[in-house]
Amino acid sequence: MTGTLIVLGTAQDGGNPQLGSRGRGRPRLVSSLAVVMDDGTTLLADCTPDVKAQIAHLEAGAPYRSRTAGNAVDHITLTHAHMGHYTGLVQFGKEAHNAKSLPTWVSPSMAGYLRANQPWRALIDDGHLDIRSGFGPFEVGPGLGLRLVPVPHRGEFTDTVGISVNDDVLFLPDIDSWDQWPSAEEEIARHRVSFLDASFFSLDEIPGRDLSQIPHPLVADTVERFGHLAAERRLILTHLNHSNPVAEPDSPQAQAVREAGFEVAEDFMSIRLAG
Ligand SMILES: [Zn+2]
Ligand SMILES: [Zn+2]
């Protein structure tokens, strides 16, 4: 069995626009993916502050419907504990959706953080989330495998992983630098499709903020390093900060990225998984 990957959001943690900003290009939800298998089993990769709108989109797009246990989705996996990537979990507790034993596939560090801190701890203690911790590979369901790939990223709360689905699609929304991750090229090369952190295009993008405090590879660096892989694979830029000019399809920066063989992710684009 195979399935379809649906991009549920493509913005950095605060969305586009962020609170109090005008943003660039059209509005974007916070970066997240869903994998909908052909039997309806649905995995949510990262659980964002926009999760209600994102799941509403899945439910509106039948046959993208979850089938088990009355849960809105059947499985969740998370990259790390920065606000854009997991705080949507509050919607799965008893005040809201009241999920039942929802399998939640996370690294040991992320599992420890959720077990140790409220309100996440209550979601586990009250049986809403069923934590499955490790790095895999996990056999999540028929035809659906996961591998959590540790990557370097600011670790105030937890470590950070990229998410590999069936060794076919790699979701890598946050990383500090390619230099700090020696197996970056090897991992990207082994996937047919990779979604890559493209938070910032240039260092002077946010007046008054020191971007060295929030390190990410700049888009030009990513394009230069991995451009030679683009002919054989889909390399898709995501997790765009609200200031990033590639968010505007007609900008020179977006055109340059496309000419180098990369794509810019768009909310609700879909990709068929390899069979
Ligand atoms: Zn992020
Ligand atoms: Zn982060």
Side-chain angles (χ1 to χ4, degrees), residues 203-250:
L203 274 178
D204 54 1
E205 212 164 288
I206 314 183
R209 288 285 289 271
D210 177 3
L211 291 191
S212 69
Q213 299 300 309
I214 30 176
H216 293 273
L218 298 177
V219 168
D221 179 31
T222 302
V223 165
E224 191 180 318
R225 259 167 212 262
F226 303 122
H228 65 286
L229 300 175
E232 306 281 323
R233 295 165 192 81
R234 293 183 70 174
L235 303 181
I236 306 176
L237 304 177
T238 193
H239 196 269
L240 308 178
N241 199 60
H242 69 286
S243 56
N244 191 328
V246 304
E248 295 174 344
D250 295 333

Side-chain angles (χ1 to χ4, degrees), residues 131-212:
I131 298 293
R132 316 280 178 95
S133 89
F135 294 100
F138 301 114
E139 201 58 44
V140 167
L144 178 56
L146 276 186
R147 190 164 56 85
L148 304 184
V149 184
V151 299
H153 182 50
R154 291 178 292 121
E156 306 96 322
F157 308 127
T158 65
D159 61 5
T160 297
V161 296
I163 294 169
S164 169
V165 177
N166 291 349
D167 277 332
D168 180 40
V169 177
L170 179 66
F171 179 48
L172 187 62
D174 262 302
I175 184 167
D176 285 355
S177 87
W178 301 121
D179 282 334
Q180 293 171 35
W181 187 32
S183 52
E185 181 165 336
E186 181 189 331
E187 274 295 341
I188 293 167
R190 82 189 264 187
H191 290 84
R192 185 178 59 95
V193 181
S194 292
F195 288 87
L196 302 177
D197 177 352
S199 302
F200 300 116
F201 192 84
S202 63
L203 274 178
D204 54 1
E205 212 164 288
I206 314 183
R209 288 285 289 271
D210 177 3
L211 291 191
S212 69

